[in-house]
Amino acid sequence: MRKKRAAPSDTPSPSPVVGQCGLCERQVQQTSRHHLVPREEGGRYGPVVELCQPCHSTVHLLLDNKELARHYNTIERLREAEELQKYLHWVRRSRVERISNRRARR
């Protein structure tokens, strides 16, 4: 006797949530480690924060490593950065998990 196969569900299964982005504070599938003081500026063993890919790419697009090391070396200061306010307002209302790597546009 053959077993019947279950019909595939039309509703997609929800994506597993892995963690929370330290910048936008959204629950996301994947995060990456961001050095609050960039490694090139002496932060190799310094504090890190987990960021979602859109936030990580945007931070490095809008702020250079010297600015990050001097002015935005804590997550609180990074959240308050004037350069990121428009982006943060947008991403907090969005469900985006990935954006293209835009760093090459500089």
Side-chain angles (χ1 to χ4, degrees), residues 16-35:
V17 173
V18 170
Q20 182 177 19
C21 176
L23 185 58
C24 68
E25 300 177 320
R26 297 179 307 139
Q27 295 295 319
V28 293
Q29 293 179 29
Q30 188 175 2
T31 60
S32 61
R33 185 173 296 127
H34 170 71
H35 290 82

Side-chain angles (χ1 to χ4, degrees), residues 21-71:
C21 176
L23 185 58
C24 68
E25 300 177 320
R26 297 179 307 139
Q27 295 295 319
V28 293
Q29 293 179 29
Q30 188 175 2
T31 60
S32 61
R33 185 173 296 127
H34 170 71
H35 290 82
L36 289 167
V37 175
R39 291 175 296 194
E40 294 82 8
E41 298 296 324
R44 182 176 196 136
Y45 301 107
V48 295
V49 64
E50 295 293 322
L51 299 182
C52 65
Q53 187 271 327
C55 285
H56 206 164
S57 290
T58 301
V59 163
H60 287 287
L61 173 72
L62 299 177
L63 301 166
D64 65 32
N65 285 345
K66 289 193 186 304
E67 287 177 301
L68 289 169
R70 289 183 188 145
H71 304 291

Side-chain angles (χ1 to χ4, degrees), residues 54 85-96 99:
Q85 294 310 303
K86 189 174 180 180
Y87 163 76
L88 287 172
H89 179 72
W90 169 77
V91 80
R92 285 178 177 145
R93 297 177 293 125
S94 175
R95 295 179 122 182
V96 65
I99 57 176

